[in-house]
Amino acid sequence: MQGLMQDVPLLVSSLIRHADRHHGDVEVVSRRVEGDIHRTTYREVHGRARRLANALDALGVALSDRVATLAWNGYRHLELYYAVSGKGSVLHTINPRLAPEQIAWIANHAEDRCLFFDLTFLPIVEKIAPLMKTVRAVVAMTDREHMPPSPPGVELLCYEELVAAHGDRYAWPELDEHLASSLCYTSGTTGHPKGALYSHRSTLLHTFAITWPDVMNLSARDTIMPVVPMFHVNAWGIPYAATMTGAKLVLPGCALDGKSVYELMEAEKVTMAAGVPTVWQNLLAYVGQNGLRFTSMQRTVIGGAALPPAMLRTFEERYGVAALHAWGMTEMSPLGTLCALRPQHAALPADDAFAIKAKQGRVFHGVDMKIVDDAGNDLPWDGAAFGNLLVRGPCVVREYFQGEGGDPLVTDAEGLRWFPTGDVATIDADGYMQITDRSKDVIKSGGEWISSIDLENIALTHPAVAMAACIGVPHPKWDERPLLVVVLRPGAGATRDELLRIYEGRVPKWQIPDDVAIVDAIPLGATGKMLKNKLREQFAGYRWPAP
Ligand code: AMP
């Protein structure tokens, strides 16, 4: 027997339509690349998204055609989120930090029809224009006054002219909810990037889930600032979730230095912000150096890379801002876990509670996970055994765009299909997952695994250390041993022995790094993560000191 409920599809357009009807006056505030602060509302975003949808129709952008963006977090990018997906085309956000040749490769692989870009990225557009094979229209996201001259061989269109030239009547189509709505390529540290193609259904399910109290706990009373970019996995889904809940949205544009982020947070009374640890490190440095406080911030979601426990404590103890550790990946839409405490943790002493909050956290309904050994056998949830982390759910990829890389899933003994994350983790008896490594970054010493993340977190407790990476370097006796690579804070000093001494009593003796290399910089990827494969190449010729 079938249920007798209305068959209303879960569509991205329903988010902005809902926002317009039920909290249309709520503000969307953006720092523009033109330099000023711009204020609009969800109602206006909806109106302009409909004008833009008409403009895209006029440009010949058809159902499921890909429309690329090279853009910061701003209201025009938000309008594109709703215009492109709303009309049934696919919003393809491209990470502008990739090399131009890689951007052109991705645009060609995705067969993008149009490219919208923020003015900052004109130099990229100039480089990739001759390489792009399928793009028919290139649109500068600005007004006539700020339009740059068109590069050779491209006739740039002006965003504001496109919006003004079309009416705001547009009936969002009743699409099949399984249709693709957006596309994001993985950062791909080796080989070509692969595309994760999200559907309207997966996007809506992810949006519902991340707003829940034990996840990001978003409400109409919040003012939310995603510092995590809208070009990387839809800023963790926050623009959609803010639209759904009616939270005020604050979009920081290209000014991601500590001072600019802090001033915008304070001016707009932000209550919740989300970002990666490297960006938060700049924010905390600015706030600390200038003796400032956060006057409105209640909590921050931190993920994309492991949240260093020292940063967690600074946010919570010094500033009274709850730091919520989150883990996810492009292939998961992206959120997989978030660390919120359970009732049994209420009476824990502070140090024990911090030890739990430093974990990546628990899944929410819609994501299932397990850890397995190399033969695929389930490992116990005891917080100690670690193995390969597998996930499944309606917001997890089944395969990559254009079938790239073949079938990525593995089948377990029950016949269930799982996505191998490539992360190595423990899960404790309360269901809290903790990443110990990327499987490629695990250090294997004498057959035993050592967690590079643990060793890095300990290094970061030293006041002179700004960044730390621990890599396995071949060793004649132990196969591999840990080498600690650090960048020191400007003006700070620390010796090798001082740095190694902080490990005493904190990890078993055999896990203590054998040596320290102090470097000027650690290579970072396009999403701000440390590129340990590059670092390993850099230290390929390293020789251990004689015992
Ligand atoms: P991406 O798809 O580029 O967002 O990268 C996803 C990968 O980033 C994951 O598979 C993890 O290796 C890493 N990652 C994301 N969040 C965390 C976290 N909170 N702690 C440790 N690693 C993380």
Side-chain angles (χ1 to χ4, degrees):
M1 192 190 294
Q2 295 241 313
L4 294 174
M5 294 294 114
Q6 296 181 11
D7 201 8
V8 178
L10 300 173
L11 298 177
V12 169
S13 58
S14 71
L15 295 170
I16 193 64
R17 186 154 41 194
H18 172 80
D20 181 346
R21 283 175 63 77
H22 302 289
H23 38 253
D25 55 341
V26 174
E27 276 190 309
V28 175
V29 180
S30 311
R31 192 194 289 278
R32 296 206 283 196
V33 291
E34 290 93 337
D36 55 350
I37 299 288
H38 173 274
R39 313 187 89 82
T40 183
T41 61
Y42 284 116
R43 183 158 301 132
E44 282 178 42
V45 167
H46 190 205
R48 284 166 52 92
R50 283 176 297 185
R51 288 172 184 273
L52 203 53
N54 280 317
L56 290 166
D57 280 351
L59 287 170
V61 176
L63 191 78
S64 292
D65 274 358
R66 271 75 69 199
V67 174
T69 61
L70 279 171
W72 300 106
N73 294 8
Y75 67 103
R76 291 187 182 115
H77 207 176
L78 188 68
E79 290 162 4
L80 281 160
Y81 266 46
Y82 291 115
V84 175
S85 305
K87 76 185 236 36
S89 306
V90 179
L91 179 85
H92 175 202
T93 53
I94 305 185
N95 188 336
R97 298 207 180 97
L98 295 169
E101 305 71 44
Q102 211 168 11
I103 293 178
W105 185 92
I106 289 175
N108 289 334
H109 189 265
E111 298 170 17
D112 293 330
R113 290 278 170 256
C114 289
L115 170 66
F116 286 74
F117 71 96
D118 269 334
L119 289 178
T120 339
F121 303 125
L122 182 64
I124 300 180
V125 173
E126 286 168 346
K127 285 203 188 103
I128 63 176
L131 306 174
M132 289 188 303
K133 298 186 183 127
T134 56
V135 169
R136 292 196 216 111
V138 183
V139 185
M141 292 163 69
T142 188
D143 51 20
R144 178 46 60 187
E145 198 190 329
H146 295 90
M147 276 298 282
S150 292
V154 196
E155 192 55 51
L156 290 185
L157 300 176
C158 168
Y159 186 93
E160 288 301 331
E161 283 179 358
L162 279 185
V163 170
H166 293 86
D168 67 358
R169 293 172 74 90
Y170 196 94
W172 298 120
E174 283 262 306
L175 307 164
D176 174 349
E177 67 182 25
H178 293 92
L179 212 63
S181 60
S182 67
L183 172 66
C184 182
Y185 279 70
T186 58
S187 24
T189 45
T190 52
H192 279 308
K194 296 198 278 289
L197 188 62
Y198 312 111
S199 67
H200 286 263
R201 175 185 150 84
S202 69
T203 303
L204 269 278
L205 292 176
H206 185 265
T207 308
F208 287 125
I210 68 169
T211 60
W212 291 335
D214 281 322
V215 191
M216 290 194 196
N217 189 17
L218 307 181
S219 85
R221 291 166 295 287
D222 274 315
T223 295
I224 305 178
M225 179 158 152
V227 178
V228 51
M230 287 167 73
F231 58 71
H232 184 60
V233 224
N234 302 324
W236 299 348
I238 291 171
Y240 298 125
T243 308
M244 179 187 268
T245 53
K248 175 177 160 185
L249 193 57
V250 180
L251 302 171
C254 59
L256 302 181
D257 60 286
K259 181 173 190 288
S260 306
V261 170
Y262 175 78
E263 287 176 354
L264 191 59
M265 272 176 178
E266 287 295 305
E268 298 302 328
K269 303 200 171 5
V270 167
T271 58
M272 201 292 267
V276 296
T278 38
V279 171
W280 272 185
Q281 200 170 322
N282 296 338
L283 174 69
L284 287 176
Y286 175 77
V287 172
Q289 280 154 15
N290 293 282
L292 303 167
R293 315 287 308 166
F294 294 102
T295 60
S296 56
M297 271 263 281
Q298 297 162 1
R299 61 197 194 285
T300 165
V301 176
I302 307 179
L307 162 63
M311 179 178 285
L312 169 68
R313 277 185 178 259
T314 306
F315 266 118
E316 300 218 340
E317 291 184 329
R318 191 174 313 159
Y319 297 113
V321 174
L324 302 169
H325 194 183
W327 164 86
M329 56 196 311
T330 308
E331 288 89 336
M332 299 181 71
S333 301
L335 209 65
T337 61
L338 190 128
C339 198
L341 296 186
R342 298 182 67 180
Q344 57 266 46
H345 302 130
L348 284 180
D351 283 354
D352 295 353
F354 274 122
I356 295 168
K357 289 182 189 176
K359 297 189 176 196
Q360 276 71 8
R362 292 202 303 149
V363 292
F364 40 89
H365 180 266
V367 180
D368 198 3
M369 68 176 173
K370 62 177 180 172
I371 42 175
V372 297
D373 63 18
D374 285 342
N377 302 310
D378 283 16
L379 291 169
W381 290 23
D382 58 8
F386 53 98
N388 303 311
L389 181 64
L390 310 183
V391 290
R392 63 191 299 269
C395 307
V396 178
V397 289
R398 177 175 76 226
E399 60 180 280
Y400 289 102
F401 186 50
Q402 316 270 38
E404 213 54 57
D407 177 4
L409 305 190
V410 293
T411 308
D412 70 7
E414 284 178 66
L416 295 177
R417 308 267 288 144
W418 297 82
F419 177 78
T421 62
D423 286 327
V424 175
T426 61
I427 305 177
D428 70 21
D430 293 316
Y432 287 74
M433 183 274 284
Q434 183 158 32
I435 303 272
T436 54
D437 260 307
R438 276 308 278 170
S439 56
K440 292 185 285 289
D441 295 335
V442 162
I443 302 165
K444 225 164 179 186
S445 170
E448 296 286 342
W449 284 5
I450 300 177
S451 161
S452 65
I453 294 181
D454 277 354
L455 299 183
E456 288 155 11
N457 284 338
I458 292 171
L460 288 169
T461 61
H462 192 287
V465 175
M467 268 180 101
C470 219
I471 52 170
V473 171
H475 189 279
K477 182 162 175 210
W478 301 107
D479 293 338
E480 263 185 354
R481 287 293 301 156
L483 171 71
L484 176 67
V485 184
V486 295
V487 178
L488 298 181
R489 289 187 194 282
T495 64
R496 167 190 184 276
D497 291 345
E498 266 167 38
L499 290 169
L500 291 180
R501 219 170 295 135
I502 57 173
Y503 287 94
E504 283 166 18
R506 298 174 88 164
V507 289
K509 214 157 181 256
W510 61 272
Q511 294 191 3
I512 297 179
D514 281 11
D515 200 7
V516 182
I518 296 174
V519 295
D520 292 335
I522 289 175
L524 296 180
T527 53
K529 292 178 213 221
M530 297 190 290
L531 292 179
K532 292 201 200 162
N533 52 343
K534 284 259 161 66
L535 208 55
R536 280 192 290 268
E537 278 168 26
Q538 217 168 299
F539 282 91
Y542 174 85
R543 295 282 165 268
W544 292 109

